[in-house]
């Protein structure tokens, strides 16, 4: 696998960013887009555009087929049993809100407990908080260990007779910890507990097999997966998607509408109300094909090498303190430098064309636990090289120089 | 863009050793501010006397070098000014950070203006302007006794 060749497929790396070559280390936030994805959006709007699933004219039928092709591609990519288990949403956030909202309407009862973890992104906490307010459910938190991991034992410890649902991240966007989702699901199911997985960081970087993981729901963010913004995927087991009520009402999701009664459409239309992000869905097929052409095993190997290299580099750098040291770690390097606030780090790195994120990364619970207001985060994607991490380290040194460290 | 202009010695020094980073025990006005996107937060305490002169001003909070230095320099300059003068200085500072090339306030002497102008490098970094202005907006909120937390967007 030639990374420089792969990098050439991303037009943004031909650009100069404030006169610098771009060192993009913010893929956990959002990934860059390969040319095939950008071109596909352009081609669809230029030559093939029509709304899907409604009209019978030629373009509408062709667009509908393209749209449904992506659904099949996603199904195969994540090894879901049924095509109708794939629902398109406007993002992973909407996917998680859909799950919380519909389970809240018809499944969770007052006093029920939902178990999440201290690693969760706000989008896997706030939707459950809504139910805490509206339905009086209780939210419990599994706690991280010293390494920034959530262990199976910790989950087991936090399960009570009232736990009805566990909602966890697959891969932490701060510590990089990969959670034992399969084992957690086995344990949960043995106790009749549903499992929801926030797969925002998992989907772009890990091999996905829904039938093997066996979780009940899995939320995917397409823009982190070399795909377009404004698009997410919710995988849900068919029995749940059939049983739960609709999330939003509107065109496309209905079967029959009368003045005194309404019946809803079949899956997956039931959850796709209104005109969907058609061009994005159709272009996302190219993202899947792009990942398949590289092979997820190769992606994982490359990113694991990068993380190991970056970790060693930063560990050797005095005054840099890495956050979390999980045994099973994805492509995220979060750190603090004593004496330099993360925002100052990010501004100084930016001057060298090094794009990282600074802040709490939508994980305030975790930062409170670690007793830091913010952290700096470098995260990798398929296009990154060891040279990028060398540049990161060099720019960190410049930062230390400016701050007289 | 020039990092040297942004991170001048005086900024780094105030950022590292902020003045008045404490709580005025007998304060009679205060306000909180935060920047939800960064997680920066500040709490400004004021002690005004009967003539509305700032007898003491202090702040608590955490943030980047720019926001800490800005709050530090602000509290240094505002102490001893009356409410009217202080508000006028805030307006002048916010104007300078956003667009004006210089400070125009008659309530600041040349030394004070020089000190404050050390923050002018922020102008070139639009994403960082809110770091520099948070404590100033919060000061106004304290004077006006706004109970609602100040949230700074750009």
């Amino acid at each position: 696998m030639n990374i420089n060749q792969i990098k050439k497929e991303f037009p943004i790396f031909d650009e100069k960013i404030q006169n610098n070559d771009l060192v993009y280390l913010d893929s956990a936030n959002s990934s860059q887009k390969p040319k095939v994805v950008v071109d596909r959006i352009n081609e669809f709007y230029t030559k093939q555009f029509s709304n899907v699933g409604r009209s019978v004219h030629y373009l509408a039928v062709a667009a509908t087929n393209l749209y449904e092709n992506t659904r099949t591609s996603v199904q195969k990519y994540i090894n879901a049993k049924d095509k109708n288990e794939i629902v398109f949403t406007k993002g992973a956030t909407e996917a998680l809100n859909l799950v919380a909202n519909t389970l809240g309407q018809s499944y969770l009862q007052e006093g029920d407990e939902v178990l999440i973890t201290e690693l969760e992104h706000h989008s896997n906490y706030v939707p459950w908080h809504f139910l805490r307010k509206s339905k009086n459910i209780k939210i419990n938190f599994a706690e991280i260990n010293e390494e920034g991991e959530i262990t199976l034992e910790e989950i087991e410890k936090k399960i009570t007779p009232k736990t009805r649902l566990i909602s966890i991240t697959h891969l932490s966007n701060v510590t990089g910890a990969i959670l034992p989702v399969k084992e957690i699901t086995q344990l949960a199911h043995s106790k009749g507990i549903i499992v929801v997985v926030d797969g925002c960081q998992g989907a772009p970087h890990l091999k996905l097999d829904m039938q093997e993981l066996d979780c009940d729901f899995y939320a995917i963010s397409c823009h982190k997966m070399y795909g377009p913004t404004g698009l997410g995927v919710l995988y849900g087991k068919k029995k749940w998607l059939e049983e739960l009520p609709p999330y939003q009402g509107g065109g496309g999701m209905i079967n029959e509408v009368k003045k005194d009664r309404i019946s809803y459409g079949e899956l997956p239309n039931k959850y796709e109300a209104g005109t969907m992000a058609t061009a994005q869905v159709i272009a996302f097929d190219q993202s899947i094909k792009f990942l398949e052409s590289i092979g997820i095993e190769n992606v994982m190997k490359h990113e694991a090498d990068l993380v190991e290299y970056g970790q060693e580099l930063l560990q050797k750098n005095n005054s840099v303190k890495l956050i979390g040291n999980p045994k099973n770690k994805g492509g995220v390097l979060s750190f603090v430098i004593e004496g330099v606030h993360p925002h100052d780090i990010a501004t100084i790195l930016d001057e060298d064309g090094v794009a990282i994120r600074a802040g709490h990364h939508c994980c305030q619970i975790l930062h409170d636990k670690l007793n830091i207001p913010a952290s700096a985060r470098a995260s990798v994607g398929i296009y990154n090289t060891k040279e990028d991490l060398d540049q990161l380290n060099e720019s960190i040194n410049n930062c230390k120089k400016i701050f007289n460290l | 863009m020039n990092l040297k202009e942004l991170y001048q010695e005086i900024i780094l020094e105030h950022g590292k050793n902020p003045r008045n980073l404490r709580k005025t025990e007998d304060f009679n006005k205060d306000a909180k501010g935060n920047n939800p996107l960064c997680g920066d937060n500040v709490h400004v305490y004021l002690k005004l006397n009967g003539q509305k002169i700032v007898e003491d001003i202090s702040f608590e909070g955490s943030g980047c070098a720019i926001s800490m230095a800005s709050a530090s320099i602000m509290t240094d300059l505002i102490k001893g000014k009356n409410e009217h003068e202080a508000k006028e200085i805030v307006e002048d500072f916010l104007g300078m950070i956003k667009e004006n090339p210089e400070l125009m306030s008659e309530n600041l002497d040349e030394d004070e203006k020089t000190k404050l102008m050390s923050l002018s490098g922020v102008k070139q970094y639009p994403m960082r302007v809110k770091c520099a202005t948070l404590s100033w907006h919060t000061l106004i909120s304290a004077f006006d006794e706004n109970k609602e937390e100040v949230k700074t967007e750009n």
Side-chain angles (χ1 to χ4, degrees), chain A residues 9-21:
Chain A
E9 298 186 36
F10 291 79
I12 193 127
F13 294 111
D14 296 334
E15 298 294 313
K16 289 283 177 200
I17 310 297
Q18 298 186 76
N19 298 321
N20 289 300
D21 287 333

Side-chain angles (χ1 to χ4, degrees), chain A residues 76-89:
Chain A
K76 287 183 180 149
Y77 190 75
I78 68 173
N79 194 29
K81 209 184 239 170
D82 193 307
K83 180 176 180 285
N84 289 335
E85 295 180 320
I86 308 301
V87 175
F88 291 114
T89 61

Side-chain angles (χ1 to χ4, degrees), chain A residues 175-213:
Chain A
T175 70
I178 298 170
L179 273 63
V181 169
K182 189 180 163 187
E183 291 75 13
I184 291 172
T185 305
Q186 271 170 0
L187 172 71
H189 284 176
S190 75
K191 296 170 186 286
I193 299 167
I194 310 176
V195 177
V196 181
V197 181
D198 169 2
C200 281
Q201 303 297 334
H205 307 291
L206 302 173
K207 186 173 168 55
L208 294 186
D209 186 330
M210 289 304 122
Q211 295 184 63
E212 199 200 338
L213 279 185

Side-chain angles (χ1 to χ4, degrees), chain B residues 28-29 46-50 52-56 83 143:
Chain B
N28 44 26
K29 284 177 188 249
L46 282 174
K47 187 188 171 196
L48 296 186
N49 68 14
K52 291 198 167 181
I53 290 171
V54 178
E55 275 193 358
D56 193 28
E83 179 171 346
F143 274 124

Side-chain angles (χ1 to χ4, degrees), chain A residues 18 341 343-345 347-348 351 359-360 364 373-374 398 402-404, chain B residues 1-3 6-7 9 12 36 38 40 62-66 125 128:
Chain A
Q18 298 186 76
H341 191 279
H343 291 136
D344 296 314
I345 301 174
T347 295
I348 293 168
E351 205 76 358
H360 51 56
Q364 270 190 309
N398 181 35
I402 289 175
F403 274 76
N404 304 313
Chain B
M1 301 276 177
N2 191 341
L3 281 179
L6 182 64
Y7 293 108
E9 269 314 312
L12 294 174
C38 330
D40 288 1
S62 68
C64 61
I66 308 296
Y125 297 83
R128 303 303 299 277

